[in-house]
Amino acid sequence: MDSAQKRILVVEDDEVMLKTLHDALAKEDFAVYEARDGEAALVIASEAHPDLILLDILMPRMDGWEMLRQLRAKDDWGKCAPVIILTNLSGDEDTQILRIAELGPSFFMEKADWRVDSVADKVKEILQTTRVPCP
Amino acid sequence: MTLPHYHPLRLLLVVVVSIFSVEYGIMVVLQWLVAPPAFLVNFIDATVLVLITYPVLYFFAFRPLVQEINIAQELKRTLQISNTDLLKFKLAVDNASDHVIITDPDAIVLYVNRACASITGYLPEEVIGKKAGKLWGNMMGRPFYQHMWQTIKSDKKTFIGEMTNRRKNGSIYQVVVSISPVLDGAGKILFFVALERDNTKQKETDKAKSEFVSLATHQMRTPITVINWCSEMILDGHAGTLNEKQTEYFNDIYAASKRMNEIIKSFLHILRLETAEHPAMLVQTNVASIAEETLKGFRLESEKKAQHIVEHFDSSLPSIMTDPDLIKVILQNFISNAIKYTAEHGEIVVTLAHMNKGSTIGEVTVKEDSLLMAVQDSGIGIPPSENDQIFTKFFRAANAKRDDPNGNGLGLYMSKIMVDLLGGMVWFTSIEGKGTTFFVLLPIQKEPISN
């Protein structure tokens, strides 16, 4: 694996979306890890420390917000690991706004409003502007 | 009831004729007993006299009397009916499920119905004679009560609002309240009549409903995302080269799926506007910069049709207390319609102006210092027969449907709700085939208003 190659963890329970995201990110030369629920994501994130996490919210077993809460509470790396929320829940809703304020994801994307290649573009953009570990 | 007034002369006539005729009758009978031969002559005399007397008596005395008696009976019947009616209404009010309160002009409670006990926990006897506001906890802020008293006492109009009140046991409940002043002929306030409906349950149902829709929306947008992303991958050639026909079909799928997403988003937006407690966030807003930004977003679309967009912005526009997000959506709706329904090379004029109180815009007089936003197009116009329906949900004018069968009929409805929320007014003028202008007038508020 190329040392400059960035590693992205995609957390998504919908198989087709997972596949499409995987392909779109791989095309941009990212290494892609996959998780299908919050619990699995938490395990992979702690072990692999990916450069960025693309995180769905509504998932079985553990939802995205709970996963992020535990990630933030876990250790220094988790406290400010770059996370993009990628969901079809509306970011205008009060509950989502509260979670965004509480858990500080780098970005909130409503899936249906974005092209799949602009998701990859956004990942690149966030990686360029975010400094890890925490400033 | 008063007896009819008879003229004294008429009375005298009646009395004299009566006595005279009765006396004459007695005389005839006596004569028949004493001297039968004179009887026949006198009998004819008596009969003639009686024939004359009785009509006179009837017209002058009996008929008016009978009429008076009839009127009196009629009145009595009417009174009985109204009494029964009143009783009926009282029963209805007493037992209504809404809380009904009648107070004097100083808010001292004169009457409450039975719902008082079930909604507030107070028995009528604990409430009557006390001050209304204090009883239910005075829980709203001062501006709320000021506005309420201004409306019912000074403006003498009906006040409708949502209130949070406190029950006797201290628990909180939500009501929709309507308070109306009852005025006498001179316009003086006699009573206030208040109706309160407990809508705590309604609020809970609304919340559950909107959570359900939010989830359902998410579920619908998931397959849409899949269709979008897969179409993008195919159209971008990641699954091999497409021939012309294949590209066309995939583009169709992609466009339809994106349109579906827009419709679902509009639904969600409307639901939020219709059910949210605080749908508008008012801050000092520079409307001109929002308009600039919005127009920038439409540049590509208008350039495609070689349309000419003119900005008429007053140089000294005040910033106003309003919701920038709603202003943006309102402008987007009007501008996107203007571009859509105006032919190539047409002109679109966007105006922002400071309107002083008393100035006029066409037939509309400006009631307070306001900001005017107007979007004028040179498009297909609105058929006059459809003017009344233009702001209703899902409505699309016949000619608009012909030009763009894919519109969803939600944009103008949404704009109207938003302008209402911002305390403004919206209207339009249009000539079919020549163009339409939409006007929005927003009051320039110095202080934040509460929702």
Side-chain angles (χ1 to χ4, degrees):
Chain A
M1 188 168 70
D2 182 351
S3 65
Q5 193 183 32
K6 298 285 186 188
R7 295 160 309 136
I8 312 298
L9 170 59
V10 181
V11 191
E12 171 62 68
D13 63 322
D14 185 290
E15 287 296 335
V16 185
M17 268 195 245
L18 188 59
K19 182 176 66 190
T20 338
L21 283 167
H22 187 133
D23 291 354
L25 289 167
K27 190 169 68 74
E28 297 298 325
D29 212 25
F30 288 112
V32 182
Y33 297 79
E34 294 178 356
R36 287 165 179 76
D37 64 67
E39 270 176 22
L42 213 52
V43 174
I44 297 173
S46 318
E47 279 172 10
H49 285 201
D51 296 289
L52 186 142
I53 302 171
L54 269 177
L55 182 60
D56 187 17
I57 296 179
L58 290 181
M59 289 180 297
R61 280 185 288 281
M62 184 192 288
D63 73 16
W65 287 127
E66 184 53 34
M67 183 269 169
L68 185 53
R69 183 175 294 115
Q70 294 195 18
L71 183 78
R72 292 291 189 234
K74 203 173 166 99
D75 51 31
D76 277 352
W77 177 81
K79 205 186 281 177
C80 47
V83 171
I84 294 177
I85 297 289
L86 188 58
T87 179
N88 269 322
L89 291 175
S90 166
D92 292 343
E93 275 163 41
D94 291 349
T95 42
Q96 308 309 327
I97 292 170
L98 283 175
R99 296 281 186 283
I100 294 169
E102 180 196 346
L103 298 168
S106 308
F107 205 71
F108 187 101
M109 301 177 94
E110 289 179 36
K111 286 173 187 163
D113 292 341
W114 293 81
R115 288 177 55 89
V116 65
D117 52 11
S118 16
V119 176
D121 291 344
K122 190 49 89 177
V123 169
K124 275 191 261 177
E125 183 193 317
I126 300 288
L127 283 174
Q128 273 167 14
T129 52
T130 320
R131 277 185 297 155
V132 185
C134 291
Chain B
M1 189 190 119
T2 52
L3 278 165
H5 291 286
Y6 291 110
H7 194 277
L9 277 177
R10 192 203 276 177
L11 256 181
L12 190 68
L13 177 75
V14 170
V15 170
V16 169
V17 171
S18 310
I19 293 170
F20 186 55
S21 68
V22 170
E23 191 194 11
Y24 204 83
I26 294 168
M27 221 172 68
V28 171
V29 174
L30 284 176
Q31 270 186 6
W32 179 62
L33 290 172
V34 178
F39 161 72
L40 193 62
V41 179
N42 286 323
F43 178 76
I44 293 165
D45 275 1
T47 308
V48 171
L49 194 69
V50 166
L51 281 177
I52 295 169
T53 312
Y54 272 88
V56 171
L57 276 176
Y58 176 72
F59 278 108
F60 285 91
F62 295 140
R63 205 176 64 157
L65 207 64
V66 167
Q67 280 173 343
E68 283 298 324
I69 289 166
N70 282 343
I71 290 170
Q73 278 174 344
E74 188 67 25
L75 267 174
K76 205 173 152 193
R77 256 201 307 276
T78 317
L79 266 174
Q80 271 171 348
I81 293 169
S82 347
N83 262 338
T84 330
D85 273 354
L86 267 179
L87 209 66
K88 253 188 327 213
F89 282 122
K90 187 167 160 14
L91 270 173
V93 173
D94 278 348
N95 296 304
S97 59
D98 287 2
H99 183 191
V100 182
I101 310 144
I102 301 176
T103 76
D104 73 2
D106 297 317
I108 302 295
V109 177
L110 302 173
Y111 167 87
V112 287
N113 67 346
R114 288 192 193 154
C116 177
S118 57
I119 294 180
T120 73
Y122 287 104
L123 294 170
E125 54 267 31
E126 294 176 296
V127 168
I128 288 166
K130 303 227 170 80
K131 193 118 178 159
K134 260 197 192 132
L135 279 164
W136 333 123
N138 263 340
M139 296 190 56
M140 308 299 291
R142 263 175 72 89
F144 180 91
Y145 292 110
Q146 273 169 358
H147 175 53
M148 183 185 95
W149 284 112
Q150 165 78 26
T151 311
I152 58 176
K153 210 158 187 173
S154 313
D155 302 346
K156 295 176 183 171
K157 284 186 180 144
T158 299
F159 171 85
I160 296 174
E162 283 189 27
M163 284 177 93
T164 304
N165 285 344
R166 196 192 292 279
R167 292 195 183 89
K168 189 183 174 188
N169 66 11
S171 61
I172 304 295
Y173 64 102
Q174 307 266 346
V175 287
V176 181
V177 61
S178 142
I179 310 174
S180 305
V182 178
L183 309 176
D184 67 8
K188 204 178 126 224
I189 293 167
L190 298 174
F191 310 107
F192 290 116
V193 176
L195 286 172
E196 283 190 352
R197 170 167 296 175
D198 187 342
N199 72 341
T200 315
K201 273 219 181 70
Q202 176 71 36
K203 283 259 145 103
E204 283 163 10
T205 318
D206 280 354
K207 192 161 169 262
K209 221 191 290 177
S210 85
E211 276 170 5
F212 169 77
V213 173
S214 148
L215 204 67
T217 311
H218 167 265
Q219 305 294 13
M220 285 191 272
R221 291 178 86 194
T222 297
I224 289 175
T225 311
V226 170
I227 297 171
N228 284 355
W229 287 359
C230 290
S231 307
E232 285 162 12
M233 295 300 262
I234 292 168
L235 285 164
D236 289 351
H238 297 302
T241 322
L242 298 180
N243 67 32
E244 206 176 304
K245 211 65 195 165
Q246 285 166 335
T247 309
E248 191 188 317
Y249 282 135
F250 274 111
N251 268 322
D252 291 343
I253 294 173
Y254 189 41
S257 176
K258 281 201 290 192
R259 204 164 64 234
M260 180 109 88
N261 185 36
E262 288 307 315
I263 294 171
I264 291 172
K265 267 168 56 182
S266 299
F267 279 165
L268 204 63
H269 214 115
I270 286 169
L271 184 90
R272 213 169 293 139
L273 287 170
E274 285 177 340
T275 59
E277 258 174 73
H278 301 289
M281 297 274 281
L282 306 179
V283 291
Q284 283 295 340
T285 305
N286 180 346
V287 176
S289 68
I290 294 179
E292 297 272 12
E293 195 188 314
T294 311
L295 279 170
K296 215 181 277 172
F298 283 104
R299 193 165 295 157
L300 210 70
E301 227 173 296
S302 62
E303 275 170 5
K304 248 189 224 166
K305 294 180 84 175
Q307 289 163 336
H308 183 45
I309 296 192
V310 184
E311 293 176 19
H312 269 175
F313 295 177
D314 270 6
S315 51
S316 60
L317 283 170
S319 71
I320 63 170
M321 279 306 289
T322 194
D323 185 323
D325 290 342
L326 297 190
I327 294 287
K328 183 156 189 198
V329 180
I330 294 167
L331 280 169
Q332 273 173 346
N333 284 337
F334 289 143
I335 295 169
S336 107
N337 277 352
I339 293 172
K340 201 190 298 178
Y341 299 118
T342 298
E344 289 185 1
H345 305 288
E347 188 178 76
I348 291 154
V349 184
V350 180
T351 305
L352 291 180
H354 182 184
M355 304 300 296
N356 288 316
K357 184 178 172 180
S359 54
T360 54
I361 307 151
E363 289 168 10
V364 177
T365 306
V366 180
K367 290 204 189 81
E368 56 188 311
D369 274 13
S370 298
L371 185 98
L372 174 75
M373 309 196 290
V375 178
Q376 180 186 3
D377 66 39
S378 47
I380 58 176
I382 296 163
S385 61
E386 300 183 308
N387 277 0
D388 294 347
Q389 299 169 72
I390 215 75
F391 290 112
T392 51
K393 208 191 266 188
F394 300 121
F395 179 78
R396 302 204 60 226
N399 55 353
K401 242 185 271 178
R402 206 167 46 231
D403 270 33
D404 172 27
N406 291 327
N408 56 28
L410 289 172
L412 290 178
Y413 169 72
M414 224 149 71
S415 303
K416 168 94 171 85
I417 298 186
M418 293 186 217
V419 173
D420 286 349
L421 274 174
L422 297 174
M425 60 184 285
V426 56
W427 74 100
F428 65 91
T429 56
S430 183
I431 300 172
E432 204 178 349
K434 290 260 189 247
T436 305
T437 309
F438 277 95
F439 301 90
V440 173
L441 205 53
L442 295 164
I444 296 172
Q445 242 125 15
K446 301 283 181 284
E447 297 296 315
I449 49 164
S450 66
N451 278 310

